[in-house]
């Protein structure tokens, strides 16, 4: 079964064609356009700007993904490429998957309404996808799913979310906890702004942190050692803001602040993930989301998990930040088509808060 998947929850516009084979989820094509350069100038996302950009990208991005899925060179100005793409969609694609939440309402509407129109007009099944779960399912791409051992802990660590989930089966999970305020990536981006690092700041903060071995500065890891699986990162942002206030920072000072910031985030994230794995006798840990691209985080979590005999999986770098391939992966893991009339953008879609015995 071939799926055309669409992702527009934040500032990326993604389309992919995926299918399931013996090696897990196979990505046939994956296209993404981002408006992050525009947001870099303003130091963060302006939601309406992001959505307006997505309106201009959506059809070309879908077209590119469809053409690429049939091996058609998309760099050339193919005559009639939109007709060709439509033919592929009609004849080669079995279903359409789309992120329906959580995310920015304007951005979500672009993807959801486009997918609904395609589903309605071409009579294709439509699968609404929970964006956060797809960050975990990015690990099923090019991976023998049946070899991944359960129960497992899923760590979603992105620009908008930091959550821990306990999976007993591939599509059966319990939410353990999440951030009470800013997400890890959001904290990195906001601290980056204080340091005049372009949005999104996570990658540059990581690169700057790599230059430092040991810093004189240290920031508090919020909720470190607490009994819950909740996170909180807004206090860290406030602490860094107080630290930089009135200081004339040189490049080395900025590198040190990046190091200390990253250390504080990683420490608490790793501690809680490992604690969840121990308490729930997990055999695997799956991480996902933009911040899971962070090499230092991956190294730390791997070391700690090895000590308790747990295997860690992380997506390939191109499937860490927002992309449509992971949306396709999630739709195949939990294939549940809905009538297009029932599908709507749900910006507040999240997880149920359940009482967990720690
Ligand atoms: O998953 P994502 O693309 O969007 C959301 O769903 O939120 O995550 C974006 C986040 C941004 O906050 C960005 O700064 C962060 O991922 N990020 C990183 C790295 N690459 C991207 N954070 C730390 N280290 C990285 N290498
Ligand atoms: Zn995301």
């Amino acid at each position: 079964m071939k799926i055309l998947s669409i992702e527009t929850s934040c500032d990326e516009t993604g389309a992919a064609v995926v299918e399931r084979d013996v090696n897990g989820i196979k990505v046939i094509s994956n296209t993404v356009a981002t408006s992050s350069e525009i947001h870099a100038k303003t130091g963060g996302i302006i939601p309406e700007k992001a959505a307006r950009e997505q309106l201009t990208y959506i059809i070309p991005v879908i077209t590119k993904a469809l053409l690429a899925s049939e091996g058609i060179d998309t760099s050339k100005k193919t005559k009639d490429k939109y007709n060709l793409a439509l033919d592929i969609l009609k004849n080669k694609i079995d279903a359409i998957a789309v992120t329906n939440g959580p995310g920015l309402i304007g951005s979500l509407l672009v993807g959801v309404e486009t997918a609904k129109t395609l589903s309605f007009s071409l009579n294709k099944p439509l699968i609404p996808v929970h964006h956060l779960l797809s960050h975990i399912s990015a690990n099923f791409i090019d991976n023998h799913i049946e070899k991944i051992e359960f129960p497992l802990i899923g760590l979603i660590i992105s620009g908008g979310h930091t959550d821990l989930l306990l999976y007993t089966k591939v599509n059966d999970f319990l939410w353990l906890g999440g951030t009470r305020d800013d997400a890890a990536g959001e904290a990195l981006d906001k601290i980056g702004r204080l340091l005049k690092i372009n949005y999104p700041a996570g990658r540059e903060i990581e690169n700057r942190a790599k230059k430092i071995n040991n810093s004189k500065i240290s920031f508090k890891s919020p909720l470190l050692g607490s009994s819950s699986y909740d996170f909180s990162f807004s206090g860290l942002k406030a602490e860094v803001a107080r630290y930089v206030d009135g200081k004339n920072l040189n490049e080395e000072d900025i590198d040190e602040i990046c190091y200390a910031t990253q250390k504080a985030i990683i420490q608490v994230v790793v501690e809680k993930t490992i604690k969840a794995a121990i308490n729930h006798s997990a055999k695997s840990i799956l991480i996902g989301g933009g911040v899971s691209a962070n090499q230092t985080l991956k190294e730390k979590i791997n070391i700690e998990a090895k000590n308790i005999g747990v295997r860690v999986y992380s997506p390939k770098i191109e499937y860490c930040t927002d992309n449509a391939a992971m949306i396709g992966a999630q739709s195949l893991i939990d294939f549940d088509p809905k009538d297009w009339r029932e599908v709507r953008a749900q910006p507040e879609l999240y997880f149920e808060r359940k009482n967990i015995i720690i």
Side-chain angles (χ1 to χ4, degrees):
M1 173 181 300
K2 269 191 191 163
I3 305 266
L4 166 71
S5 52
I6 299 170
E7 154 62 33
T8 63
S9 66
C10 195
D11 58 338
E12 269 88 19
T13 308
V17 175
V18 304
E19 67 182 349
R20 193 166 179 165
D21 71 2
V22 284
N23 297 322
I25 308 292
K26 189 170 138 203
V27 179
I28 304 167
S29 67
N30 185 35
T31 308
V32 64
T34 177
S35 55
S36 66
E37 266 178 34
I38 295 173
H39 309 304
K41 289 184 195 129
T42 46
I45 295 177
I46 298 176
E48 196 189 318
K49 261 212 162 113
R52 279 175 189 272
E53 287 298 307
Q54 283 163 320
L55 278 172
T56 65
Y57 297 152
I58 188 82
I59 301 293
V61 164
I62 289 175
T63 299
K64 199 170 169 188
L66 288 167
L67 295 179
S69 75
E70 288 296 308
I72 300 167
D73 184 358
T74 53
S75 63
K76 288 200 193 107
K77 277 208 166 44
T78 323
K79 222 171 136 201
D80 287 338
K81 62 179 174 184
Y82 293 109
N83 286 337
L84 212 51
L86 197 56
D87 275 347
I88 296 168
L89 182 51
K90 273 186 199 156
N91 302 316
K92 301 279 171 81
I93 301 292
D94 302 291
I96 297 162
V98 65
T99 303
N100 75 318
L104 303 169
I105 182 64
S107 296
L108 287 170
L109 281 171
V110 175
V112 168
E113 294 308 311
T114 304
K116 282 168 73 171
T117 308
L118 294 176
S119 164
F120 154 73
S121 53
L122 301 174
N123 198 23
K124 303 273 177 195
L126 180 62
I127 307 120
V129 172
H130 195 305
H131 178 89
L132 299 178
L133 294 179
S134 77
H135 272 305
I136 298 299
S137 292
N139 287 287
F140 300 135
I141 297 172
D142 296 333
N143 239 336
H144 290 272
I145 299 170
E146 56 289 348
K147 287 194 185 155
I148 299 177
E149 289 190 275
F150 289 78
L152 63 82
I153 298 296
L155 166 68
I156 301 159
I157 182 156
S158 71
H161 296 85
T162 315
D163 291 287
L164 281 168
L165 306 174
L166 167 67
Y167 281 75
T168 46
K169 282 191 277 182
V170 78
N171 55 4
D172 192 5
F173 67 89
L174 214 54
W175 180 77
L176 297 178
T179 186
R180 293 179 186 170
D181 41 55
D182 289 358
E186 190 178 355
L188 287 167
D189 295 337
K190 286 178 175 170
I191 290 168
R193 195 172 170 176
L194 292 171
L195 302 172
K196 300 194 172 52
I197 292 173
N198 272 353
Y199 171 88
R203 199 153 147 211
E204 187 174 335
I205 290 182
E206 174 174 29
N207 291 337
R208 283 177 172 272
K210 276 185 189 155
K211 296 190 211 157
I212 305 292
N213 285 323
N214 215 339
S215 170
K216 299 176 282 301
I217 316 167
S218 76
F219 299 125
K220 240 175 86 195
S221 269
L223 296 182
L224 189 71
S226 83
S227 61
S228 82
Y229 292 115
D230 283 352
F231 298 95
S232 161
F233 294 107
S234 70
L236 175 65
K237 180 194 65 195
E239 193 184 352
V240 178
R242 274 196 304 277
Y243 181 82
V244 302
D245 189 35
K247 286 199 176 74
N248 207 349
L249 301 170
N250 62 30
E251 289 300 315
E252 206 172 308
D253 296 331
I254 296 174
D255 294 347
E256 283 212 29
I257 296 167
C258 289
Y259 173 89
T261 298
Q262 184 177 278
K263 192 174 171 192
I265 292 176
I266 290 178
Q267 200 176 355
V268 66
V269 168
V270 173
E271 186 211 69
K272 287 190 187 249
T273 308
I274 296 295
K275 187 177 81 174
I278 294 170
N279 289 352
H280 294 283
S281 310
K283 299 211 168 75
S284 323
I285 293 171
L286 269 58
I287 65 175
V291 185
S292 71
N294 189 289
Q295 214 184 323
T296 321
L297 168 69
K298 284 189 277 193
E299 278 166 17
K300 260 246 149 13
I301 215 161
N302 263 296
I303 292 169
E304 300 285 331
K306 209 170 171 193
N307 288 339
I308 55 164
V310 170
R311 177 144 182 212
V312 180
Y313 295 83
S314 56
K316 280 191 192 140
I317 209 94
E318 65 265 37
Y319 305 133
C320 287
T321 46
D322 289 350
N323 65 89
M326 67 180 192
I327 305 303
Q330 174 62 22
S331 76
L332 284 165
I333 293 297
D334 193 6
F335 189 77
D336 187 15
K338 296 269 186 286
D339 186 296
W340 63 268
R341 276 161 288 225
E342 289 172 36
V343 177
R344 60 189 174 89
Q346 290 180 264
E348 309 297 337
L349 190 67
Y350 191 46
F351 301 118
E352 250 175 79
R353 186 174 271 275
K354 297 220 177 95
N355 288 327
I356 305 292
I357 302 151
I358 294 169

